[in-house]
Amino acid sequence: MTAFETAAVGELATDVRLPAGDGPFPAVLIRTPYDRTRHRAEARGWARRGFAAVVQDVRGRFASPGEWHPYANETADGAAAVRWIRGQPWSDGRLVAAGASYAAHCALVLARDVPGDARPDAVIAAVPALGLAETAREASGVERLLSRAGWWAAHGDRRDSDESALNKALAEDPGLLAHLPLTALPERLGRALPSWAGLWRRPDKEHHLVARAAHAGPPLLAVGGHHDHFTEETVALWRTWGGSPARLLLGPWGHSLTAAPGPDAGPAHRLDLGELYVRWARRALTGDLAPGHHGTLALGGAGLWLPADAEGEPRAHRTRLLHGSVFTADPARPVRSDDLAVPADGPPDRCLLVTPPLPRPLDLVGPTSVRLRATAHTPSADWAARLVALSPDGTAERVAVGIVRRAEPALREAAFTIGLGRLARRLRAGTRLRLEIAGHHFPAHARNPHTGDDPMTAGHLLASRRQVDPDSVALHLPVLPSRPAPTDPAEEILR
């Protein structure tokens, strides 16, 4: 039978679950804004496997006193928790910091930003929401509106959470996210959100957690999903992590990992993540992990796992224009991120291109992009590219999306590239790829108002006429030259 107690560590509400026996034990620390009581089953699992599990509500959330300022207090409060754990008679001094989403941020800052006596011996970071600036924008600078509005409505500037807050508000006002300015969203939600406006300020790049990860010390296990909005950050964190073993596990999952499988997930992708975490933690604490960056990624649609460094050869695929080489990007009627249907009537709102049917299955592993030449009739313009797989049976599935912001003289043709992120999936023979080039991807991303104003504070919108040279469009896909040799995910993570 394991022992359980609730304590106040640095005044913060903390649950401690100890293994059976006398100890001392290694510990795992989870600091969360999502209610520590939701982690009790997870804590029991760690304790059954010989770890003292410590779960803490972050400052200002649920049972912990103080004011809740997202991303502000986690370094100091986390360091205090680590020192407290190491001073307990049941602790053998070894500690793993673990967490998912915001809780992954809490773990990661301890690996980089605290002195040695408060630094963990290993870190497990799943779907990491790395920091305030990283979550707010794509690498191209375009604002991630829907995901941030949902998170702030659910968790921002409040002690508890309401996961359905944004959906309830949208049910009452479907145009909620279209009202201007976007910084006034809290007023339309009907409650105070003083941290909302500060979310959109741009800090220096050196403050980004990935930029500082090269100086981290403890072993890292980074876990993510191909369908998570933090996929690129997860991979960048793993690639950048310095000084110790780093492992990457990337599956065909969404932000809730195996609880949110994507349409390309199969039985081979149903892993017991809890058991894998425990086995990795043991090897990390005993120094039994091989040095270097290793890991595994799932090949969606194929039921395979590949080494994390697997990457196809970039090949340019030509596309055929269907319509819309000249179109209007109207922020009052934007192309929607939540609808794959293409209007069949009216003036075009996007450039639409398509590839021929694939003559054989295609394995795509690695970064994907679109190269094109195009013109905007406004000096500020966003360019969104969406890749949709059209299966032989007629279904449509989003494969990849990318968006960039361009600022150049109106009517000047420019050549540029839109990155679509990393792919890891098999497309069936007969599949066609539809490529959409548009001026907006809303509400996933804030609308560029085309006035030169900040999209978050703009109060006026202009339509922007666009022209794409269809002969210039090249879709670059990372094609594996031969059928890949599968690997075992546990072996790659634990070696």
Side-chain angles (χ1 to χ4, degrees), residues 285 301 410:
L285 293 180

Side-chain angles (χ1 to χ4, degrees), residues 227 252-253 261-267 269 300-301:
H227 306 289
W253 314 311
D264 55 336
H269 304 132

Side-chain angles (χ1 to χ4, degrees), residues 106-380:
C106 295
L108 288 164
V109 294
L110 295 178
R112 171 60 188 89
D113 297 332
V114 300
D117 64 330
R119 183 170 291 188
D121 300 289
V123 176
I124 300 173
V127 290
L130 294 177
L132 199 67
E134 292 97 326
T135 61
R137 301 175 190 272
E138 303 288 354
S140 64
V142 178
E143 300 82 2
R144 291 167 166 160
L145 176 61
L146 182 62
S147 67
R148 294 303 84 201
W151 195 90
W152 247 257
H155 311 293
D157 300 297
R158 58 186 296 162
R159 179 163 296 280
D160 60 356
S161 291
D162 181 357
E163 301 283 353
S164 63
L166 184 62
N167 285 339
K168 289 187 291 189
L170 287 169
E172 294 180 5
D173 179 8
L176 179 74
L177 297 178
H179 298 310
L180 300 178
L182 288 171
T183 46
L185 177 65
E187 300 169 18
R188 294 188 287 276
L189 289 171
R191 69 179 185 85
L193 276 173
S195 65
W196 173 252
L199 169 65
W200 305 105
R201 300 191 188 106
R202 294 175 179 266
D204 296 335
K205 285 286 187 182
E206 67 228 29
H207 290 112
H208 287 202
L209 209 152
V210 166
R212 308 197 307 272
H215 305 289
L220 169 73
L221 174 57
V223 183
H226 299 311
H227 306 289
D228 178 40
H229 41 278
F230 297 140
T231 305
E232 295 300 306
E233 289 90 337
T234 305
V235 175
L237 179 72
W238 167 70
R239 288 191 184 280
T240 309
W241 198 260
S244 59
R247 300 293 182 265
L248 174 69
L249 178 67
L250 202 60
W253 314 311
H255 195 62
S256 297
L257 297 176
T258 54
D264 55 336
H269 304 132
R270 296 172 189 157
L271 302 184
D272 184 342
L273 292 182
E275 184 64 30
L276 191 57
Y277 289 177
V278 170
R279 294 175 66 190
W280 180 88
R282 286 175 179 152
R283 291 184 64 81
L285 293 180
T286 54
D288 291 331
L289 293 173
H293 292 62
H294 305 290
T296 183
L297 54 87
L299 184 64
L304 299 178
W305 289 88
L306 309 178
D309 58 0
E311 197 158 293
E313 299 173 352
R315 297 182 186 173
H317 288 245
R318 289 292 173 179
T319 56
R320 176 174 61 88
L321 176 69
L322 293 180
H323 68 79
S325 61
V326 176
F327 68 92
T328 299
D330 187 350
R333 290 180 290 277
V335 171
R336 293 193 62 89
S337 57
D338 52 7
D339 188 358
L340 293 183
V342 177
D345 54 4
D349 63 354
R350 71 199 82 182
C351 179
L352 201 64
L353 307 105
V354 68
T355 68
L358 298 178
R360 59 186 178 279
L362 202 63
D363 291 334
L364 305 177
V365 181
T368 306
S369 63
V370 177
R371 182 73 177 169
L372 70 155
R373 290 198 308 272
T375 304
H377 288 222
T378 50
S380 177

